[in-house]
Amino acid sequence: MIISMKLHSSKEEIDQVCERIRDFGYKIHAIEGEERVVIGAVGVGDVTACLESVEAMPQVEKAVRISAPYKFVSKEFHTERSRIRVNGCEIGGDEFIVMAGPCSVESENQIMRAAEGVAACGAKLLRGGAFKPRTSPYDFQGLETEGLKLLAKAKRATGLAIITEVMSDRDVSLVAEYADVLQIGARNMQNFALLKTLGKCGRAVLLKRGMSSTIRELLMSAEYIVAHGNPNVILCERGIRTFETATRNTCDIAAVAVLDELTHLPVILDPSHATGKRSLVPALCRAAVAIGADGLLVEVHPWPEKAVSDGAQSLDLSQFRKMMHDLQPYLDLWKESRVTPATAAV
Ligand code: PEP
Ligand code: MN
């Protein structure tokens, strides 16, 4: 259920409504907008009786039953876009945010060169896996804690925020010590123990769409994280498995527009895993900007031919520079479309 309070309701009025909802056995979660408070009620109870009772209260504007099982992440619950602040920048706000860096952290020289290179081209976050989900147990598994320390060093040198993957609930507190954003990979999108732990990790989370997951399942996974206490979730389309073999995955670019209709959470695109092929990456970056994504997660390596993972889909630094340069006219249009009337009037 979602209960929208009348404009400028007082704290006492809001508390009374919350109390009534709790009496019906629901947990409540209030979101304070600029002018109005919206209350989400979750749990199991007599929905009809609760709705009728709450609707009869004079302070309540509207009380509605929500058919979507994801309440907290639904746009019906929170109509304004969520803006997620990370290290001085805002994801989901008025700036298109580029996160870039190698698939894996491999060495100090590699991550420092990558960090300096992507920072100089306007990236705001440095990506790099220290814990790697690999299909084969014989492939490089990541530098783990050593990799996290190298990322921290790159952050100190460049000021870039860090996004890196965490694969197990055991490692959440360790990775959260070093990372600004915890990445949940496609293979772990439905690792529910991990999702619950992320509710209390104190960091923003980038949740990647599972390779065989529907948009509804992606939103349900995001709901786990928010329902367990962490509203700072960013969604990422990274391609899904289909019969098509020309690309590593099939980029479901429409998912960005679908998610924009369904959720207030920011949505970014990973064109690297979506295609598996560096020559296709710039075109998908343009598509992401045009469709209104909030940002990109791009694999960039100073020497892709030497990469221990995902070299074929990684841009080198000069290709990344050109891609960012060529994206600028599209970003200017993006910015125009994002500026809210209130901001435009200033
Ligand atoms: C990655 O970002 O390097 C990665 C492993 O991505 P995904 O989980 O989307 O496969
Ligand atoms: Mn990768």
Side-chain angles (χ1 to χ4, degrees):
M1 259 172 303
I2 287 179
I3 295 92
S4 177
M5 299 294 297
K6 288 202 169 136
L7 286 181
H8 312 300
S9 300
S10 69
K11 179 160 180 338
E12 289 70 35
E13 290 170 329
I14 296 163
D15 288 347
Q16 278 171 14
V17 173
C18 291
E19 209 38 56
R20 177 77 58 90
I21 300 167
R22 284 201 198 90
D23 288 345
F24 279 90
Y26 291 96
K27 282 194 178 157
I28 63 128
H29 187 99
I31 297 252
E32 286 181 35
E34 300 237 319
E35 295 184 313
R36 133 178 15 251
V37 169
V38 175
I39 303 164
V42 284
V44 184
D46 186 340
V47 190
T48 311
C50 184
L51 274 177
E52 280 176 5
S53 168
V54 168
E55 236 171 359
M57 299 178 84
Q59 319 82 301
V60 170
E61 173 82 40
K62 204 159 78 173
V64 284
R65 184 192 299 253
I66 295 298
S67 45
Y70 42 85
K71 293 182 170 60
F72 293 150
V73 306
S74 162
K75 216 165 194 170
E76 293 177 62
F77 180 49
H78 191 208
T79 47
E80 294 153 38
R81 285 171 186 281
S82 281
R83 294 162 174 249
I84 299 180
R85 292 202 69 79
V86 172
N87 195 43
C89 62
E90 210 172 40
I91 302 156
D94 299 334
E95 206 189 335
F96 188 84
I97 301 292
V98 177
M99 314 178 183
C103 180
S104 304
V105 181
E106 299 169 11
S107 67
E108 179 166 344
N109 190 27
Q110 175 241 20
I111 199 68
M112 295 303 275
R113 297 294 81 75
E116 288 157 3
V118 300
C121 300
K124 292 286 186 294
L125 284 88
L126 174 67
R127 64 148 290 151
F131 291 88
K132 292 304 302 175
R134 305 306 301 278
T135 302
S136 165
Y138 307 114
D139 285 344
F140 179 67
Q141 303 286 308
L143 296 180
E144 304 191 340
T145 307
E146 185 50 35
L148 296 173
K149 290 188 173 149
L150 293 176
L151 287 168
K153 187 159 190 188
K155 177 178 179 174
R156 284 195 297 277
T158 58
L160 290 172
I162 300 299
I163 171 165
T164 194
E165 180 160 356
V166 57
M167 295 200 297
S168 155
D169 51 334
R170 279 193 319 267
D171 298 325
V172 167
S173 55
L174 169 71
V175 179
E177 272 178 47
Y178 295 91
D180 298 280
V181 181
L182 302 187
Q183 176 175 324
I184 302 306
R187 292 155 190 81
N188 265 319
M189 189 203 85
Q190 286 189 315
N191 179 339
F192 300 115
L194 177 56
L195 299 179
K196 287 179 192 172
T197 308
L198 294 167
K200 303 275 177 282
C201 71
R203 297 280 181 217
V205 174
L206 180 97
L207 180 64
K208 289 186 132 192
R209 180 178 181 182
M211 58 188 83
S212 302
S213 299
T214 63
I215 289 172
R216 185 184 173 95
E217 286 162 343
L218 172 64
L219 290 169
M220 292 305 299
S221 290
E223 183 81 4
Y224 261 91
I225 303 170
V226 181
H228 281 82
N230 185 354
N232 298 318
V233 180
I234 305 151
L235 303 173
C236 180
E237 166 61 37
R238 45 77 74 203
I240 49 175
R241 281 229 171 132
T242 68
F243 52 81
E244 180 56 71
T245 53
T247 47
R248 179 177 178 182
N249 291 290
T250 297
C251 179
D252 182 8
I253 191 74
V256 179
V258 173
L259 286 166
D260 187 44
E261 286 189 356
L262 298 177
T263 181
H264 53 87
L265 298 177
V267 180
I268 70 165
L269 183 79
D270 171 348
S272 311
H273 294 85
T275 59
K277 204 171 159 195
R278 79 169 64 85
S279 64
L280 301 175
V281 167
L284 276 193
C285 291
R286 293 195 294 275
V289 176
I291 205 165
D294 295 289
L296 291 166
L297 179 72
V298 193
E299 285 188 340
V300 179
H301 195 295
W303 316 284
E305 66 289 354
K306 292 193 189 149
V308 299
S309 59
D310 289 348
Q313 66 194 34
S314 301
L315 301 176
D316 67 22
L317 290 168
S318 70
Q319 289 160 342
F320 181 65
R321 190 177 315 114
K322 178 168 181 354
M323 194 276 286
M324 291 291 278
H325 174 266
D326 294 349
L327 210 53
Q328 197 51 54
Y330 298 83
L331 289 174
D332 293 343
L333 289 171
W334 182 97
K335 191 120 191 160
E336 259 175 52
S337 74
R338 264 311 161 99
V339 174
T340 57
T343 327
V346 175

Short mmCIF file of all heavy atoms in Angstrom, two decimals, residues 29 198-199 286 311:
data_model
loop_
_atom_site.label_atom_id
_atom_site.label_comp_id
_atom_site.label_asym_id
_atom_site.label_seq_id
_atom_site.Cartn_x
_atom_site.Cartn_y
_atom_site.Cartn_z
N HIS A 29 7.39 2.78 5.96
CA HIS A 29 8.61 3.38 5.44
C HIS A 29 8.17 4.70 4.81
O HIS A 29 7.44 4.70 3.83
CB HIS A 29 9.15 2.41 4.38
CG HIS A 29 10.49 2.76 3.86
ND1 HIS A 29 11.65 2.17 4.32
CD2 HIS A 29 10.87 3.62 2.91
CE1 HIS A 29 12.67 2.67 3.66
NE2 HIS A 29 12.22 3.55 2.81
N LEU A 198 23.67 -6.29 2.12
CA LEU A 198 23.92 -4.98 1.52
C LEU A 198 23.00 -3.90 2.09
O LEU A 198 23.30 -2.72 2.02
CB LEU A 198 23.73 -5.05 0.01
CG LEU A 198 24.76 -5.92 -0.70
CD1 LEU A 198 24.33 -6.19 -2.13
CD2 LEU A 198 26.13 -5.26 -0.67
N GLY A 199 21.87 -4.35 2.64
CA GLY A 199 20.95 -3.41 3.26
C GLY A 199 21.61 -2.63 4.40
O GLY A 199 21.21 -1.52 4.72
N ARG A 286 26.56 5.88 -27.00
CA ARG A 286 25.67 6.92 -27.56
C ARG A 286 24.21 6.55 -27.32
O ARG A 286 23.39 7.39 -26.96
CB ARG A 286 25.92 7.10 -29.06
CG ARG A 286 27.28 7.67 -29.40
CD ARG A 286 27.35 8.16 -30.84
NE ARG A 286 27.23 7.10 -31.84
CZ ARG A 286 28.23 6.35 -32.29
NH1 ARG A 286 29.46 6.53 -31.81
NH2 ARG A 286 28.04 5.41 -33.21
N GLY A 311 39.89 -8.49 -22.14
CA GLY A 311 40.68 -7.59 -22.98
C GLY A 311 39.95 -7.23 -24.28
O GLY A 311 40.02 -6.09 -24.74
#
